[in-house]
Amino acid sequence: MLQTLKSTSLLAFVGLGVAFSTTGQAFALDEVSYGTNWLAQAEHGGFYQAVADGTYEKYGLKVTIVQGGPNAANRALLIAGKVDFYMGSPLGEMDAIKEGVPLVDIASIFQKDPQVLLAHPDQGIEKFADLAKLDSIFMGKDGYVTYFEWMKKNYEGFKDEQYKPYTFNPAPFIADPKSAQQGYLTSEPYEIGKQAGWEPKVFLLADNGYNPYSTMITTTATMVETKSDLVQRFVDASIEGWYNYLYGDNKPANDLIKKDNPEMTDGQIEYSIAKMKEYGIVESGEALEKGIGCTTDARYKKFFDDMVEIGVVDASLDYTKAFTTKYVCKGVGMALKK
């Protein structure tokens, strides 16, 4: 009898040890970091959501979001191996390939780039081509050498003389009814409406032909080659985070956003989410049938060809090194949509 009790106790102890071991393994989370391209905002909401609601943990990850901003260098941190993932862009990755830096886009959270041009509401500017009638277009240097070159190539009337440097202050645009201004669909129209008391005309470049992917998940070729399972888990969890942010309870994520960026307001967040949904920024094109983050060879090649045509990228570049489609277009998270 005593021997039986001892055997039973031993088995129970061994079983308990196995349970602790299994539990320990379950909670041994892989620690990774994701660097954003600007201060925390609704446009980063899905990543914050996956932190806030435990989605990353469900996928065995402990994720730190490294906030971007005017003094941040998160792209450089990715190259240096100090962050694991980054909110890149197709042109950025093509440039990296040109420089011999193997960065890879692994998911495209935004199917449409939210870049817009804004005009006054009472100047007869009814369609995108009408912007060519204006005297001035306030835009940053990056826009001047990319989408403005594309505009000149694809629409009549746009000319270099229209270019005026944009200093991220809408006052010159507000004061000049014969001008247009660059902006982000989810940001500048809201701020101009508050300051000017009128709503600007909004022209989304993506709906008028200039349509790169945006808000990428970007990593290094080394990460793809050596930690492919971790990469897949990060992509899948981030995609679920975006479904939950758009269609679930996003208050925990918004609280984290406001904690990282105390200047962010509930009004701005609400406006941004509404515009992302209205214009199909996250869900349009292939993403409607294959899930958030979907990236295709054909779409990437189309943008590459457009950039070659305007002289931004050399035709000899092996652009296929700048992205992979292996982690996306699998319908992940679509069942979460309500």
Side-chain angles (χ1 to χ4, degrees):
M1 180 68 176
L2 181 60
Q3 183 64 37
T4 302
L5 288 172
K6 286 182 177 179
S7 298
T8 304
S9 298
L10 179 60
L11 288 171
F13 179 78
V14 170
L16 185 61
V18 171
F20 275 124
S21 175
T22 303
T23 303
Q25 289 177 0
F27 287 93
L29 303 177
D30 292 313
E31 296 191 23
V32 298
S33 52
Y34 180 67
T36 65
N37 61 358
W38 195 245
L39 300 173
Q41 52 192 292
E43 294 88 332
H44 308 160
F47 302 105
Y48 279 94
Q49 182 77 23
V51 171
D53 68 9
T55 298
Y56 282 131
E57 288 189 15
K58 184 179 74 172
Y59 280 84
L61 301 171
K62 180 180 180 182
V63 174
T64 300
I65 297 177
V66 181
Q67 184 178 209
N71 300 314
N74 284 342
R75 184 173 184 271
L77 292 178
L78 174 66
I79 295 171
K82 302 298 184 183
V83 299
D84 301 294
F85 301 95
Y86 172 62
M87 192 177 289
S89 66
L91 271 179
E93 278 60 84
M94 290 180 197
D95 185 62
I97 297 303
K98 176 184 175 182
E99 299 299 323
V101 180
L103 301 185
V104 185
D105 287 332
I106 55 177
S108 309
I109 299 301
F110 284 5
Q111 296 296 299
K112 294 182 181 181
D113 188 334
Q115 188 69 55
V116 296
L117 288 175
L118 308 172
H120 284 244
D122 54 356
Q123 296 299 310
I125 307 301
E126 300 300 329
K127 57 185 184 296
F128 188 82
D130 293 339
L131 294 166
K133 304 173 184 177
L134 297 173
D135 296 334
S136 303
I137 302 178
F138 295 98
M139 68 185 84
K141 184 174 290 186
D142 287 346
Y144 177 62
V145 300
T146 55
Y147 61 77
F148 192 61
E149 286 297 318
W150 176 87
M151 288 161 58
K152 290 190 295 180
K153 183 76 173 180
N154 290 275
Y155 290 87
E156 293 184 2
F158 289 107
K159 50 190 180 297
D160 289 333
E161 289 76 15
Q162 291 174 291
Y163 168 67
K164 299 291 188 301
Y166 177 49
T167 61
F168 297 92
N169 177 0
F173 163 69
I174 293 173
D176 182 1
K178 297 296 183 181
S179 71
Q181 177 198 290
Q182 76 166 50
Y184 224 48
L185 171 70
T186 49
S187 181
E188 274 83 355
Y190 177 77
E191 186 61 31
I192 288 170
K194 287 173 57 180
Q195 290 190 29
W198 44 262
E199 299 297 321
K201 289 272 191 175
V202 176
F203 300 94
L204 186 69
L205 270 73
D207 285 344
N208 290 279
Y210 183 83
N211 195 20
Y213 288 121
S214 181
T215 304
M216 316 301 289
I217 301 178
T218 306
T219 190
T220 62
T222 299
M223 180 73 84
V224 169
E225 292 163 3
T226 63
K227 297 183 179 180
S228 188
D229 172 70
L230 185 151
V231 171
Q232 185 70 72
R233 285 185 285 132
F234 182 78
V235 169
D236 289 350
S238 299
I239 289 170
E240 284 199 18
W242 272 98
Y243 274 107
N244 289 331
Y245 186 70
L246 292 175
Y247 302 109
D249 177 12
N250 56 27
K251 183 180 184 303
N254 292 333
D255 288 343
L256 287 182
I257 288 170
K258 289 183 289 184
K259 180 179 179 181
D260 273 1
N261 181 11
E263 294 186 2
M264 183 55 59
T265 66
D266 290 330
Q268 175 66 77
I269 289 173
E270 182 179 351
Y271 180 89
S272 297
I273 294 172
K275 292 302 176 182
M276 284 192 284
K277 289 181 176 180
E278 178 185 350
Y279 282 81
I281 298 300
V282 178
E283 290 185 286
S284 57
E286 291 90 357
L288 290 172
E289 295 183 355
K290 299 179 180 179
I292 288 172
C294 189
T295 310
T296 66
D297 297 288
R299 172 83 179 275
Y300 218 99
K301 183 180 187 303
K302 172 65 166 61
F303 183 66
F304 170 74
D305 290 342
D306 286 346
M307 295 301 96
V308 169
E309 186 177 15
I310 63 174
V312 172
V313 178
D314 192 276
S316 65
L317 180 74
D318 185 1
Y319 73 95
T320 62
K321 292 182 178 179
F323 74 102
T324 179
T325 62
K326 68 183 289 187
Y327 299 107
V328 291
C329 306
K330 302 176 182 181
V332 172
M334 293 187 75
L336 300 172
K337 184 175 179 180
K338 298 177 180 179

